[in-house]
Amino acid sequence: MHVLVTGGAGYIGSHTCLALLEAGHAVTVLDNLCNSSTVALQRVQEIASKSLRFVQGDVRKPHDLALAFEAGIDAVIHFAALKAVSESCEEPLRYFDNNIAGTICLMQAMQGHGVHQLVFSSSATVYGQPDVVPVDETAPLRVSNPYGRSKLVMEDLIGDWCNAKPDVGAVLLRYFNPVGAHPSGRIGEDPRGTPNNLMPYVAQVAIGRRERLQVFGNDYPTPDGTGIRDYLHVVDLAEAHVKALDFASDASGCHILNLGTGRGTSVLELVHAFEQATGQPIPLDIVARRAGDVAEYWADPAKANACLGWHATRTIHDMCADTWRWQSLNPQGYAP
Ligand code: NAD
Ligand code: UDP
């Protein structure tokens, strides 16, 4: 298949492009590089020893979409989005425009070019504070910020499109917490500015770019008092996208799947695993809770197991070791 990957230069997109090339697919990337670097795509091609097609452009621009679709696209994986929760609270309209308007433009272009298969990046953030764990796809949806709102609106729009057009098949993937890097250490997560997420922050403390980790609260109702999440290796996540693409090609309608390991890990457990996997000490301070954080959640991935024949195979140790290989080989990320 020839797959259009929007946002393919980004963290999850670059790992997925590699998995697609390795699985024998042709790849066109459409990315405006607002949060990524073409170095990631150069390295993907070097690792795969295969080339991909890159269109620098915006999913909101019909002209850029037309260029991307020119190559004869069979299916789309849609990663392109803004993703910082705190920024979305300050600039909700920018998030709605980029994420929601971008997705509408993409669906219009797909329809115009007769492309009917879509795999979409959603997020476990749509569950908000869950009533029970593990969280399955039937859990109530409670978004608490504009980023989460944009994901939920996009899910609904894609669902309505599928309802109206029986030949459209879409898979909406709700990721839990993607972390880690390709084991080559050549591609990984390269946040701009101060990382919002735990794992890249820990990695930057280990490499000396940040002095100490701040642990946001140790008074949650969890065994060690720190927040619990379902961390998922980005290579497992990339492999799930290749399987979701195959699933979407045989399916019609809209299918929603959780992607996680089904296991929860606390902040302190993750820090200790990182120290063990890498030998790097992580100095830390316990500080107040971060506003809006939930105490704990992890996925019930049974539906993805059943529909895709997929389950995560990489451990927390792998996630830490691969993150550290990437960070130590690229102390400043993709910057020279
Ligand atoms: P990322 O920022 O590394 O990648 C997103 C890519 O999209 C970037 O390369 C960016 O330049 C591009 N982009 C953004 N807006 C665009 C536009 N209008 N036109 C063209 N390109 C555009 O983020 P990521 O971590 O790889 O996330 C990928 C997707 O997964 C996003 O949709 C994100 O919301 C979703 N997601 C991420 C996480 C996570 O923790 N990383 C968790 C759940 C869901
Ligand atoms: N966290 C922390 N310090 C940080 C970043 C995150 O203690 O610098 C905690 C956070 O409170 C949560 C967990 O680590 O319990 C995962 O946070 P992240 O932002 O990575 O994921 P999310 O909360 O969005 O699921």
Side-chain angles (χ1 to χ4, degrees), residues 6-13 30-37 57-60 78-83 98-99 102 120-124 147 151 175-178 189 197:
T6 74
Y11 169 46
I12 304 169
L30 174 65
D31 198 304
N32 64 4
L33 303 178
C34 69
N35 196 36
S36 53
S37 161
D58 196 298
V59 288
R60 291 164 296 179
H78 181 32
F79 292 107
L82 301 174
K83 63 166 185 177
N98 192 82
N99 295 1
F120 173 69
S121 297
S122 190
S123 168
Y147 167 69
K151 287 289 169 194
Y175 314 155
F176 280 64
N177 288 62
E189 187 171 12
N197 297 114

Side-chain angles (χ1 to χ4, degrees), residues 243-279:
K243 293 192 174 221
L245 195 65
D246 292 339
F247 181 79
S249 0
D250 295 332
S252 65
C254 187
H255 305 267
I256 300 180
L257 305 176
N258 282 344
L259 292 181
T261 64
R263 286 181 300 276
T265 302
S266 76
V267 176
L268 291 180
E269 284 171 340
L270 188 90
V271 171
H272 294 146
F274 192 93
E275 291 180 325
Q276 276 184 349
T278 66

Side-chain angles (χ1 to χ4, degrees), residues 116-139:
H116 301 129
Q117 267 69 47
L118 175 64
V119 176
F120 173 69
S121 297
S122 190
S123 168
T125 196
V126 297
Y127 296 118
Q129 172 75 59
D131 298 327
V132 288
V133 283
V135 183
D136 72 21
E137 292 82 354
T138 64

Side-chain angles (χ1 to χ4, degrees), residues 58-134:
D58 196 298
V59 288
R60 291 164 296 179
K61 294 191 179 156
H63 173 260
D64 296 348
L65 284 162
L67 277 179
F69 277 94
E70 221 170 50
I73 299 298
D74 301 303
V76 176
I77 304 182
H78 181 32
F79 292 107
L82 301 174
K83 63 166 185 177
V85 170
S86 55
E87 192 180 63
S88 80
C89 296
E90 289 156 18
E91 299 179 82
L93 298 183
R94 186 157 79 90
Y95 271 65
F96 297 154
D97 178 48
N98 192 82
N99 295 1
I100 300 172
T103 300
I104 295 170
C105 293
L106 177 67
M107 290 190 288
Q108 285 168 336
M110 288 178 67
Q111 194 158 283
H113 290 84
V115 178
H116 301 129
Q117 267 69 47
L118 175 64
V119 176
F120 173 69
S121 297
S122 190
S123 168
T125 196
V126 297
Y127 296 118
Q129 172 75 59
D131 298 327
V132 288
V133 283

Side-chain angles (χ1 to χ4, degrees), residues 112-182:
H113 290 84
V115 178
H116 301 129
Q117 267 69 47
L118 175 64
V119 176
F120 173 69
S121 297
S122 190
S123 168
T125 196
V126 297
Y127 296 118
Q129 172 75 59
D131 298 327
V132 288
V133 283
V135 183
D136 72 21
E137 292 82 354
T138 64
L141 304 177
R142 300 180 177 124
V143 294
S144 57
N145 57 68
Y147 167 69
R149 174 76 54 206
S150 77
K151 287 289 169 194
L152 198 50
V153 170
M154 292 185 281
E155 283 197 0
D156 287 345
L157 296 177
I158 294 167
D160 284 352
W161 185 40
C162 290
N163 287 339
K165 304 280 171 192
D167 49 355
V168 175
V171 184
L172 313 185
L173 299 175
R174 291 180 179 159
Y175 314 155
F176 280 64
N177 288 62
V179 296
H182 189 263

Side-chain angles (χ1 to χ4, degrees), residues 200-219:
Y201 203 104
V202 167
Q204 291 195 6
V205 171
I207 202 72
R209 281 173 67 179
R210 317 260 158 213
E211 273 189 25
R212 302 172 74 80
L213 173 70
Q214 296 192 317
V215 173
F216 298 141
N218 67 349
D219 55 354

